[in-house]
Amino acid sequence: LPMAFRDVNARRHIGLQQLSALALAGRTLLGPMKSCKFIVDESTNQSTLICSAVRLIESLDLTSAAGQLLNETIQAQNKEFRTGMSTLLFLIGAWSNAVLECLQQNVPVSAVVSVMSEGLNSCCERVQCLQISVHDVNKELCSSSVRPNAFKSKTCQIGCDSLLKPPILLYVQKDISAPEEVIPVNPCSHQEEDSNFNKRLLSSLAGFGSIASLVKPAGDKSASMISGSGVIASSCNKQKLTHSRHFSTSRKSHFSSQQGSFQGYLSGPSAEPCECYGLGHLAMALSHGNQTSVKLLQSIVAYQQERAECSGSSQFNIAGIVTCCLLGLPESYSCVSPGFVTLVSPEQTTVIKYFEDKPLRILLMDGDLTEQYRHLGFNRPCNVRTILEHPSLPEGRADLWLSSMLDILISFEVNLVLVKGNVCENLMERCIANSILVIGSVTRDVLCAFGEVTSAQPVTYLTQLNASCVGSGAQVGLWKACDGRAMDLGELVPVRIKVRGIPLLTAVLTTTVASKMQLIEDQFWTLAYRLHHALHDEKVFLGGGAVELLCLSHIQMLAKEPLQPANKNAVREFHNPCLAASATEYTSVVLQALASGWKQYLSVIMCNTAKAASELEACTLVDHHLKKAAECGSPSAYILKEFRRGDLLRGGSGPFDDHGEGLKVYDNVTAKTEAWRRALDLVLLVLQTDAEIITGPKRNQLLNSHVSSEFMFL
């Protein structure tokens, strides 16, 4: 057996080296202040700006087996959490190097697998003390000294700068003739057809002088509101708009009652008034410095929370959010618009203008609107994509199908068709000629949202259509930008489809730089899913490196005491006495290798955020904290104290130094720990595969006999 170990360690582990090399490309993507990368498409010479590990992996040459496994691991993390991929990629590289160093010291593969697995499990248990419930974070952030203008917009320029300082919420009525519907409007929020009214309101308010004269003093007990879009409101100001010449007496009464009943997530009926800020502050704490996405997400949170008062549920609904990317407008035009905003061809604008603000009969199609489309069945297999190639249809048959489908739409008086998949171009042209608007590539969540409020029932084929499947009440119009004009961007035109009462919101993302569009969309969804997972877990980790520092301290303590009872129990799992002896002998070495991954993680983050001038300086600062934590006697208590003070791993200017003291950073619990486990699982899988290739399956069977199946498959 010792000869077998020497044989394994004497040869090169190509898979681990490939993992290390691929992960090195994502080193600058770690931390809140990422160094973006340009990815150039050799076929088109077009470049795209990225800061996501997913986009990076999609652009790398992953022809090797290790590269394919790395891609599957990153994609699995992205599909489930949409966050934590950069951490996953970095730790894969760091732990691959650590394992290679262990092999160079002739550490058996069995010892590496056993001790590293046990060490990570121990870390996951140890860091539970750094979890904090969302309810406690809510109260803590509301009572902290976060400045209201911490994330003040620098791009909102429509005469609103003087109004940004005190966060307020204005209520306006959309339709005087309809039952009163209250919607949150921020003076700088460029959305809805109310933009002209908002301008008049702002100009009239300017006559009152400083907006500070319109709000009650800070000692007022009235409940506060989070701003619809833009600055983050400080819950401690408790400011409230008390009068305006646009508000009648009955309107003021309704406004006051709305304020009194508005409560934040997990606040409950007896909660303090400031708890209505919970989700807004939590989104800011999870943003890690992403200011633009925070403002958009806070608009969504405020709108959803207000609507939730009617249903009695305040849960953040990520399924009710879609994005629309508009290229050609400044980033200051980004906003949140109720309803569904999408892009259509200029030829369809004639139909849209004809139907503008008229009630439409809507049809939902759960599939492609093409003659060749055949669905795979109602029990569709996961992760399977079927590509069918059909010969071109005879001209007579194609015309017959087009005429038949068009007759069905006309007979049921359908004006608007939302299609989940692709749409036949010839059918699209005929629909335009007959004033029927057809929009393809609509997500399932959008179809469900329109189905709930219009009573439309999705169909797979037009031949299944009957009168009960067609909904009503939808309205369509050209999307208007912040200046109230409908925007024509040339190749594509943005339109908005709305229905009264629909919970769907569209985050309209704009930029004039084509290569930046994907980056902006990825950043928005990352933050949205961080908030979603935080509310789902009902707890978050202390951020800013607190969790990783505790892991590092814990592993180093275990390495100094390798013969603890927990390690002895793990040794008993070995069926071979030689393997048990080797695991005990190399425990300290392997644990130090595992700890080196955490140390590299902290050092690189500090370098990327300019908290340290070099990695050596960063390592020195980390060692300083480890020493003080050990002297304290309770590393977790020391880390918690430093986190509260804001001095954790502070060595220079950080990403949040310009946003006010007391701004805390938090991380997701499940997404972070799953990233750790996936990283180590992949490294150990490639390690064992390399060992089997080098030594042969029979010789390596004894080495891997103790490994459970969870380390053999991703």
Side-chain angles (χ1 to χ4, degrees):
L1 192 60
M3 287 297 296
F5 287 143
R6 293 193 185 96
D7 191 18
V8 171
N9 298 333
R11 303 189 185 187
R12 301 175 63 187
H13 283 252
I14 303 300
L16 291 176
Q17 294 182 23
Q18 290 174 343
L19 286 182
S20 177
L22 291 172
L24 184 62
R27 187 182 182 91
T28 60
L29 303 179
L30 195 64
M33 298 183 67
K34 308 176 188 296
S35 297
C36 301
K37 294 179 177 292
F38 271 107
I39 302 298
V40 181
D41 188 344
E42 295 181 353
S43 60
T44 61
N45 289 328
Q46 293 182 347
S47 60
T48 302
L49 192 65
I50 65 167
C51 69
S52 167
V54 177
R55 304 299 175 190
L56 176 65
I57 290 299
E58 291 175 350
S59 306
L60 294 180
D61 182 11
L62 302 175
T63 55
S64 64
Q68 291 295 325
L69 290 173
L70 174 61
N71 180 46
E72 292 178 9
T73 306
I74 296 291
Q75 294 296 341
Q77 178 77 12
N78 179 58
K79 182 178 180 180
E80 185 173 0
F81 298 105
R82 296 290 290 268
T83 183
M85 286 77 70
S86 296
T87 296
L88 171 60
L89 181 62
F90 182 86
L91 288 179
I92 287 174
W95 282 335
S96 295
N97 291 329
V99 169
L100 287 171
E101 292 179 0
C102 290
L103 297 177
Q104 291 176 1
Q105 301 179 47
N106 293 327
V107 178
V109 174
S110 59
V112 173
V113 174
S114 174
V115 177
M116 277 198 163
S117 301
E118 181 194 358
L120 182 60
N121 290 335
S122 181
C123 281
C124 292
E125 294 178 1
R126 184 68 181 88
V127 296
Q128 290 182 4
C129 63
L130 295 185
Q131 295 177 5
I132 181 172
S133 69
V134 171
H135 180 72
D136 293 338
V137 172
N138 179 20
K139 293 193 297 184
E140 180 181 357
L141 293 178
C142 287
S143 60
S144 64
S145 57
V146 181
R147 288 183 288 185
N149 59 345
F151 280 88
K152 177 179 178 179
S153 172
K154 298 181 180 180
T155 56
C156 186
Q157 297 293 338
I158 307 185
C160 306
D161 292 339
S162 61
L163 297 176
L164 284 174
K165 297 179 182 179
I168 60 174
L169 185 70
L170 302 181
Y171 284 86
V172 298
Q173 188 173 348
K174 292 176 61 180
D175 188 0
I176 301 299
S177 60
E180 188 174 43
E181 178 183 3
V182 180
I183 61 171
V185 178
N186 183 286
C188 297
S189 174
H190 316 306
Q191 56 185 341
E192 293 275 338
E193 64 274 16
D194 304 308
S195 57
N196 293 330
F197 173 78
N198 291 339
K199 287 183 181 179
R200 295 193 299 269
L201 177 60
L202 291 176
S203 61
S204 64
L205 287 177
F208 286 98
S210 174
I211 200 71
S213 62
L214 300 178
V215 297
K216 290 186 177 181
D220 186 81
K221 300 298 182 181
S222 303
S224 304
M225 288 291 189
I226 190 170
S227 175
S229 173
V231 297
I232 293 175
S234 172
S235 59
C236 302
N237 287 340
K238 300 183 178 63
Q239 296 174 344
K240 169 182 171 183
L241 184 64
T242 57
H243 62 277
S244 167
R245 59 188 176 192
H246 288 275
F247 284 52
S248 64
T249 305
S250 60
R251 183 71 54 80
K252 285 194 294 183
S253 175
H254 180 77
F255 174 74
S256 301
S257 64
Q258 285 287 331
Q259 274 196 318
S261 62
F262 189 95
Q263 297 294 338
Y265 175 74
L266 295 178
S267 58
S270 61
E272 297 179 3
C274 70
E275 291 195 14
C276 65
Y277 289 129
L279 292 187
H281 280 313
L282 181 61
M284 179 176 64
L286 293 168
S287 69
H288 298 180
N290 187 356
Q291 301 182 25
T292 303
S293 297
V294 164
K295 291 179 285 189
L296 293 176
L297 191 59
Q298 285 193 326
S299 299
I300 294 172
V301 166
Y303 188 87
Q304 287 188 348
Q305 283 188 315
E306 182 185 355
R307 289 181 56 88
E309 290 300 313
C310 299
S311 61
S313 173
S314 299
Q315 180 66 44
F316 174 61
N317 180 23
I318 198 169
I321 305 172
V322 293
T323 55
C324 179
C325 300
L326 300 185
L327 181 61
L329 295 176
E331 294 182 25
S332 59
Y333 281 56
S334 296
C335 65
V336 176
S337 179
F340 177 49
V341 179
T342 187
L343 301 175
V344 300
S345 62
E347 292 78 13
Q348 293 179 291
T349 56
T350 303
V351 180
I352 295 171
K353 292 178 180 178
Y354 175 76
F355 283 123
E356 191 161 12
D357 295 330
K358 296 179 181 179
L360 306 179
R361 288 173 59 82
I362 182 174
L363 171 63
L364 309 176
M365 295 206 62
D366 187 15
D368 293 350
L369 187 52
T370 59
E371 201 280 337
Q372 298 89 355
Y373 174 71
R374 301 293 184 272
H375 71 92
L376 299 177
F378 294 102
N379 295 323
R380 299 177 182 178
C382 299
N383 301 326
V384 174
R385 183 177 63 177
T386 301
I387 300 176
L388 300 178
E389 295 183 1
H390 296 272
S392 58
L393 297 173
E395 184 176 354
R397 179 180 171 183
D399 289 341
L400 180 62
W401 179 82
L402 291 174
S403 300
S404 175
M405 296 302 103
L406 185 60
D407 290 342
I408 292 176
L409 294 176
I410 294 175
S411 63
F412 286 98
E413 299 180 348
V414 175
N415 311 120
L416 173 64
V417 184
L418 300 182
V419 185
K420 182 176 180 289
N422 300 320
V423 180
C424 176
E425 294 183 4
N426 293 332
L427 181 59
M428 177 83 75
E429 294 176 359
R430 294 201 180 188
C431 288
I432 293 175
N434 288 271
S435 298
I436 299 175
L437 181 62
V438 181
I439 297 178
S441 301
V442 179
T443 64
R444 184 180 297 274
D445 290 336
V446 175
L447 295 180
C448 293
F450 277 96
E452 291 177 0
V453 294
T454 64
S455 301
Q457 300 178 11
V459 297
T460 306
Y461 303 101
L462 278 181
T463 54
Q464 300 172 332
L465 186 60
N466 55 57
S468 63
C469 297
V470 182
S472 60
Q475 291 181 318
V476 64
L478 297 177
W479 179 80
K480 295 182 174 67
C482 62
D483 52 6
R485 295 180 302 166
M487 304 304 298
D488 186 354
L489 302 180
E491 297 181 357
L492 296 173
V493 179
V495 299
R496 187 181 67 165
I497 305 171
K498 60 181 180 178
V499 183
R500 184 174 181 81
I502 190 170
L504 193 66
L505 295 173
T506 301
V508 182
L509 309 176
T510 62
T511 183
T512 56
V513 183
S515 59
K516 196 177 179 182
M517 194 78 262
Q518 185 68 67
L519 171 66
I520 295 175
E521 186 177 20
D522 288 342
Q523 288 178 336
F524 171 81
W525 281 116
T526 297
L527 177 56
Y529 273 92
R530 281 177 184 166
L531 180 60
H532 169 72
H533 290 303
L535 298 178
H536 181 268
D537 296 339
E538 297 185 356
K539 55 190 175 182
V540 290
F541 271 140
L542 302 184
V547 177
E548 290 77 14
L549 186 62
L550 182 58
C551 285
L552 177 57
S553 174
H554 179 63
I555 290 296
Q556 288 187 347
M557 291 177 61
L558 291 179
K560 295 177 182 178
E561 302 175 359
L563 296 179
Q564 291 295 320
N567 294 327
K568 293 180 180 179
N569 293 334
V571 168
R572 295 193 192 101
E573 296 178 3
F574 292 100
H575 302 287
N576 188 289
C578 297
L579 293 178
S582 63
T584 304
E585 178 183 358
Y586 294 105
T587 296
S588 179
V589 176
V590 177
L591 288 178
Q592 289 291 354
L594 182 65
S596 67
W598 299 123
K599 194 168 187 178
Q600 290 181 40
Y601 179 91
L602 293 171
S603 301
V604 171
I605 283 185
M606 294 177 65
C607 292
N608 289 350
T609 56
K611 290 186 177 181
S614 64
E615 193 166 345
L616 177 61
E617 180 181 338
C619 290
T620 302
L621 183 59
V622 171
D623 290 336
H624 172 72
H625 279 286
L626 290 174
K627 181 180 178 181
K628 296 186 68 175
E631 294 174 351
C632 178
S634 175
S636 58
Y638 170 80
I639 291 173
L640 181 60
K641 181 187 69 173
E642 293 297 308
F643 178 84
R644 301 296 185 193
R645 293 174 51 191
D647 293 335
L648 188 64
L649 300 182
R650 182 183 295 275
S653 60
F656 301 107
D657 289 350
D658 297 332
H659 303 314
E661 298 178 359
L663 180 59
K664 299 295 189 299
V665 181
Y666 294 91
D667 294 327
N668 291 117
V669 174
T670 306
K672 180 179 282 288
T673 54
E674 282 301 308
W676 297 348
R677 295 186 185 278
R678 281 191 166 105
L680 187 60
D681 288 353
L682 177 61
V683 171
L684 297 182
L685 173 62
V686 173
L687 166 65
Q688 293 169 100
T689 304
D690 284 350
E692 184 172 316
I693 293 173
I694 294 172
T695 64
K698 292 184 179 180
R699 182 179 297 184
N700 196 51
Q701 183 177 5
L702 182 61
L703 304 181
N704 299 331
S705 60
H706 69 287
V707 182
S708 60
S709 59
E710 64 177 310
F711 297 110
M712 300 301 293
F713 302 98
L714 290 177

